[in-house]
Each structure stands twice: as structure tokens, then as C-alpha cells.
């Protein structure tokens, strides 16, 4: 008879957390831009957990684009598709992977809440550990065939093709497959190229990889092992960083650090600079700090965990490192607080109207540490002369229904060979395709 007591206590504490009277701004684009407002940090007795129920997509339903665009189901019935990569022949690789329950991750009462609420939001499940190849042979915007490319990588995420080698960033390693155009399945197991920081905690496990334009180097994202270093800085060795791997010398180094959870990687088409999207820290307020996108400087330190948005000190982190804070780089562009901005793709095709060209599409997976909810959409950030500008635009909505429940959650975004925007919806199990409605 001892077990019901913790359940009642947990329910009471959950009710207390959810009934907190404070709220963030309802402006959907608050915290966007090169100089977003930064309110004072806020403290609360319990962290805010606001995770809506998953209901899925009704038959025939789809996200809502702006006028002049149409959304179709490029592929559906997938198992937690997280990331996308378009091969030169137009085939699309979709990495199916998921967060799994981990007692070594968040501990105590906070961890108890987090694990259960993330599971309710469709964010925690047994990982499929699979890459699916999708082919739209007739060009109608729907994949007619799908094959399992590989099931040999633990929690695959980022993918990139260089000179006949397909590199896949997984849970704890970078793997390589030989690839020939038109190939629909990997021929044998992968070769391990590089060990990456992994368990036993592996709090932010998603790892992306992108090749430099000349194909000589790979850049790999590795997220932090905690919110603000609470698992000890020894557990953060090599993490909260973007690594560079030289394919010729086979040497790896930390290219940039202090990036709490970088995910998207893309090369800005005008300047050729590497850009990334970063998820910032939780539990200092509904509107603080903004997630962001930024150009990545070689040797740059971006503040985590000691400071946010440049040199704004996070007093919760002890001991502090003022010498690091003093050189922290201020990000280029805020993407709103607690939006979980993950996917990043610059639009360099010609199928969309001019107003949507040259800028960046960002997949925002959605908040859990904020009220009202934020993210759960795809946004567009215009660029001029290689720099992001205002105003940003909400491009794809409807992932939350009218009752505020989850129909889907956008993650990776990619531009297909015909200029359509592909969006991986992990909870919905769908890859959406957005095209201009006046064009075939």
C-alpha cells in the first residue's frame, strides 16, 4: 500500500506546477531578430511543464501554409521520422530515431515529471534506429516506393554525401556507407569513422553532420549533457559544440563551443558561412532566453552554460567562468523562447516566389517549458546580403489543433530536387511537402 502515496504526491505537485499564474507573451514572433528583448530571469518553486496531449492527424488533415502554397503527404506511416537528406538523384533519406527513457538523464522529482510528460507528448519511445529511402519516381510530390536503407546505426540523425560516401551521425559515432547513385539499400554494415560523445547520459543525443562545400571537411553537432551543467562539467567534455573532422588527415577538433544544443547546419548561399540553430536553456522564465540561429565562428565560444545571448550571466551556474563569459559571442538572430528550433534549410531553388528565396526555413519542434506554448511550426527568416533580417514569417502551422493538442511536431526541413520544402513530422509519422500551388 506504499505505492499510491508517491503517485498522489506527484499529481499534487504537477497540479501546482501547471496552475502557476505566470505566463509569457502571446506574440508568436516574440524573441525574434538580431536584438530580441531579454527580460529579467524568473525563478519558480517548480519548473513549468506544459506538454499537450498527442491526438495525431485526422484523415485528410494537413498543416496550413500561406496563400499560394499547397501541402501534400510526401510519405506517411513512418516511425518517428526526425531528419531528412535529399540525394542528388532526388531520392530522400529519412532518419527514424527517438529519445528513449534514461534513468541516467534527469533525476529526482524534476526528472520524474520530465520523463512522463515527454512520453505523453510523443517525444520518448523505443527508437526505430532506421533510415528509410523514399523515391518519387513520377515527380507528383508523393513517394511511391520506400525501402529500408539501413538499420545498422544507433539513433541515426544527420546525413551527408561526399564523393561516394554517405556519412551518418548517430547516437555515439559517425558512420560511413559506400553509396552509388540510385542505390536503395546499404550494402553491408557501416564503417565507423569517428567516436562521438555518447552515454550513459547522452541528454541531447541528436547529432547532425554537414560537409563543407569543397567536400574536404565534415562538421558535426554535439549537444550538452544537461540543462546548465548540473550533471557536472566532466560530463560535458566535447559536448555543447560543433566539431570539425578533416577527411584527409582524419583528425577531429572542436570548431566552436558553448552551444547548448546545436542541431541544424547549413551553408548560407551568399557568404558561404556555416550557420546553425541552437536550443537554449530552460527554467529562467517563459520568455528567456530565445533559441537562436547564428553563423559559426572558428574558435567561437557562445556562452553555455555560464551565460546566454552573449554575456548575460546565468547566476545558477557555479562556479562561474568570467574569463569565458568575457569572450562569449552574441548570436546573430533570435528564434523565440523555448521554440526548440531544430531544422534549418536555406531556400536556393527557384520554385517559390521571390519573397521566399535566399532565406532560411526553420523547423520549430515546440516548447515544454513555457506557457503559452511556443513553436510547433515552420518559420521563415529572410536574408539580405547574407544577413538575417526582420520580419520573420510564420510559414507552416496547424501542428497544434484548435484545442491546443498535438497533431504533429516538425523537426528536419529540406529542399527537394523540384524546389519543394520537405518537413519531417516525427509525432505525426509524416513527411510533408510544401509546393507553390500555381506550379505543377
Amino acid at each position: 500500500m506504499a505505492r499510491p502515496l508517491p503517485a498522489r504526491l506527484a499529481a499534487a505537485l504537477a497540479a501546482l506546477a501547471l496552475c502557476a499564474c505566470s505566463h509569457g507573451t502571446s506574440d508568436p514572433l516574440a524573441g525574434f531578430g538580431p536584438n530580441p528583448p531579454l527580460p529579467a530571469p524568473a525563478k519558480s518553486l517548480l519548473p513549468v511543464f506544459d506538454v499537450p496531449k498527442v491526438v495525431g492527424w485526422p484523415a485528410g488533415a494537413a498543416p496550413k501554409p500561406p496563400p499560394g502554397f499547397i501541402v501534400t503527404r510526401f510519405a506517411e506511416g513512418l516511425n518517428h521520422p526526425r531528419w531528412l537528406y535529399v540525394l542528388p538523384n532526388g531520392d530522400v533519406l529519412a532518419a527514424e530515431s527517438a529519445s528513449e527513457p534514461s534513468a541516467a538523464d534527469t533525476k529526482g522529482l524534476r526528472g520524474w515529471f520530465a520523463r512522463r510528460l515527454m512520453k505523453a507528448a510523443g517525444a520518448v519511445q523505443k527508437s526505430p534506429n532506421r533510415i528509410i529511402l523514399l523515391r518519387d519516381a513520377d515527380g507528383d510530390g508523393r513517394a511511391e516506393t520506400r525501402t529500408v536503407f539501413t538499420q545498422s546505426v544507433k539513433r541515426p540523425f544527420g546525413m551527408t554525401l561526399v564523393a561516394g560516401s554517405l556519412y551518418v551521425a548517430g547516437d555515439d559515432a559517425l558512420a560511413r556507407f559506400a553509396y552509388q547513385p540510385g542505390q536503395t539499400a546499404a550494402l553491408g554494415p557501416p564503417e565507423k569513422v569517428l567516436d562521438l560523445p555518447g552515454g550513459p547520459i547522452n541528454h541531447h543525443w541528436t547529432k547532425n553532420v554537414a560537409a563543407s562545400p569543397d567536400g574536404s571537411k565534415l562538421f558535426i553537432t554535439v549537444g550538452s549533457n544537461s540543462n546548465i551543467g548540473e550533471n557536472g562539467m566532466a560530463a560535458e567534455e566535447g559536448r555543447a559544440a560543433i566539431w570539425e573532422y578533416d577527411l584527409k588527415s582524419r583528425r577531429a577538433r572542436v570548431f566552436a563551443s558553448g552551444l547548448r544544443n546545436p542541431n541544424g547546419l547549413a551553408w548560407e548561399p551568399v557568404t558561404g558561412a556555416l550557420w546553425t540553430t541552437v536550443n537554449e536553456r530552460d527554467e529562467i522564465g517563459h520568455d528567456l532566453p530565445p533559441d537562436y540561429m547564428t553563423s559559426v565562428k572558428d574558435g567561437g565560444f557562445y556562452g553555455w552554460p555560464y551565460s546566454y545571448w552573449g554575456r548575460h550571466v546565468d547566476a545558477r551556474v557555479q562556479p562561474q567562468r568570467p574569463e569565458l563569459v568575457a569572450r562569449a559571442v552574441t548570436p546573430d538572430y533570435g528564434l523565440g523562447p523555448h521554440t526548440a528550433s531544430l531544422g534549418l534549410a536555406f531556400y536556393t531553388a527557384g520554385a517559390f516566389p521571390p519573397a521566399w528565396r535566399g532565406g532560411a526555413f526553420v523547423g520549430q519542434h515546440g516548447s515544454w517549458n513555457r506557457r503559452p506554448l511556443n513553436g510547433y511550426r515552420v518559420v521563415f527568416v529572410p536574408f539580405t546580403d547574407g544577413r538575417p533580417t526582420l520580419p520573420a514569417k510564420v510559414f507552416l502551422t496547424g501542428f497544434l489543433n484548435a484545442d491546443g493538442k498535438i497533431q504533429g511536431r516538425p523537426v528536419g526541413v529540406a529542399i527537394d530536387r523540384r524546389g519543394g520544402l520537405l518537413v519531417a513530422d516525427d509525432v505525426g509519422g509524416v513527411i510533408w511537402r510544401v509546393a507553390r500551388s500555381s506550379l505543377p
Side-chain angles (χ1 to χ4, degrees):
M1 298 299 292
R3 296 185 65 176
L5 180 59
R8 289 198 300 270
L9 175 61
L13 290 172
L16 177 61
L18 292 171
C19 289
C21 60
S22 63
H23 287 74
T25 177
S26 59
D27 180 355
L29 292 177
F32 274 70
N35 296 294
L38 301 176
K43 296 181 180 180
S44 61
L45 177 63
L46 290 171
V48 174
F49 291 112
D50 195 357
V51 182
K53 180 181 178 181
V54 173
V55 296
W57 293 97
K64 299 176 179 62
F69 291 89
I70 187 171
V71 179
T72 56
R73 299 187 181 212
F74 180 78
E76 57 187 317
L78 298 170
N79 188 355
H80 220 254
R82 297 278 288 180
W83 215 247
L84 303 172
Y85 185 74
V86 180
L87 292 163
N89 71 340
D91 288 346
V92 177
L93 295 175
E96 296 180 322
S97 52
S99 298
E100 294 182 322
S102 172
D105 192 349
T106 47
K107 302 177 182 178
L109 184 61
R110 180 189 183 278
W112 190 94
F113 281 130
R115 287 191 297 271
R116 282 153 181 80
L117 290 171
M118 291 300 100
K119 184 176 181 180
V124 177
Q125 66 172 67
K126 182 176 175 58
S127 181
N129 296 339
R130 185 168 59 187
I131 296 176
I132 300 295
L133 185 141
L134 301 160
R135 177 169 292 172
D136 175 15
D138 61 7
D140 68 348
R142 300 176 188 269
E144 299 87 30
T145 61
R146 68 180 70 183
T147 56
V148 175
F149 186 84
T150 183
Q151 293 178 290
S152 301
V153 178
K154 181 181 179 182
R155 292 203 285 194
F157 196 75
M159 300 160 282
T160 193
L161 180 66
V162 180
S165 293
L166 179 70
Y167 294 91
V168 179
D171 177 279
D172 57 6
L174 179 69
R176 173 193 172 274
F177 295 90
Y179 173 81
Q180 294 293 328
Q183 184 177 324
T184 59
L187 302 177
E191 168 196 353
K192 182 192 286 188
V193 176
L194 178 68
D195 285 315
L196 298 172
I201 301 175
N202 212 9
H203 180 71
H204 291 120
W205 58 269
T206 53
K207 296 173 176 70
N208 192 15
V209 59
S212 61
D214 65 2
S216 66
K217 296 179 176 63
L218 302 178
F219 293 84
I220 307 157
T221 67
V222 182
S224 70
N225 237 345
S226 60
N227 182 31
I228 51 167
E230 64 271 13
N231 291 321
M233 292 309 292
E236 306 296 346
E237 184 68 29
R239 305 190 71 115
I242 293 175
W243 291 25
E244 177 194 83
Y245 179 75
D246 187 281
L247 287 169
K248 184 176 181 180
S249 68
R250 299 185 179 182
R251 293 178 179 175
R253 68 183 180 101
V254 171
F255 184 78
S257 61
L259 299 151
R260 179 178 175 268
N261 187 23
N263 274 265
L265 286 174
W267 300 91
E268 197 282 317
V270 173
T271 64
L274 178 65
W275 281 70
T276 189
T277 49
V278 178
N279 290 191
E280 253 291 359
R281 66 203 70 200
D282 297 315
E283 300 176 32
I284 52 173
H286 297 281
D287 293 332
L288 192 73
D291 292 342
Y292 61 86
M293 60 188 297
T294 191
S295 56
V296 185
K297 297 177 172 58
D298 189 352
F301 174 73
Y302 290 79
W304 188 89
Y306 308 104
S307 64
Y308 57 88
W309 200 260
R311 301 173 187 177
H312 292 79
V313 172
D314 189 334
R316 299 174 298 172
V317 182
Q318 297 296 328
Q320 270 288 327
R321 294 286 302 276
E323 76 282 7
L324 289 178
V325 173
R327 65 180 184 88
V329 179
T330 300
D332 288 298
Y333 196 93
L335 291 171
H338 309 293
T339 54
S341 297
L342 303 176
L344 175 64
F346 286 99
Y347 193 84
T348 56
F352 284 11
W356 302 97
R357 300 177 194 172
F361 286 100
V362 178
Q364 297 190 316
H365 199 221
S367 62
W368 64 266
N369 182 231
R370 187 181 192 273
R371 193 175 304 114
L373 296 170
N374 204 8
Y376 300 94
R377 64 195 176 188
V378 176
V379 297
F380 177 78
V381 177
F383 272 60
T384 301
D385 298 327
R387 302 296 303 167
T389 61
L390 288 170
K393 303 175 184 177
V394 176
F395 184 74
L396 201 61
T397 63
F399 292 92
L400 294 176
N401 67 15
D403 296 325
K405 296 178 180 178
I406 296 175
Q407 300 187 129
R409 300 183 78 184
V411 193
V413 293
I415 312 303
D416 71 16
R417 195 169 65 162
R418 298 173 65 242
L421 176 71
L422 300 176
V423 180
D425 174 354
D426 60 356
V427 170
V430 180
I431 296 173
W432 303 101
R433 184 177 189 268
V434 189
R436 191 172 180 180
S437 58
S438 58
L439 294 177

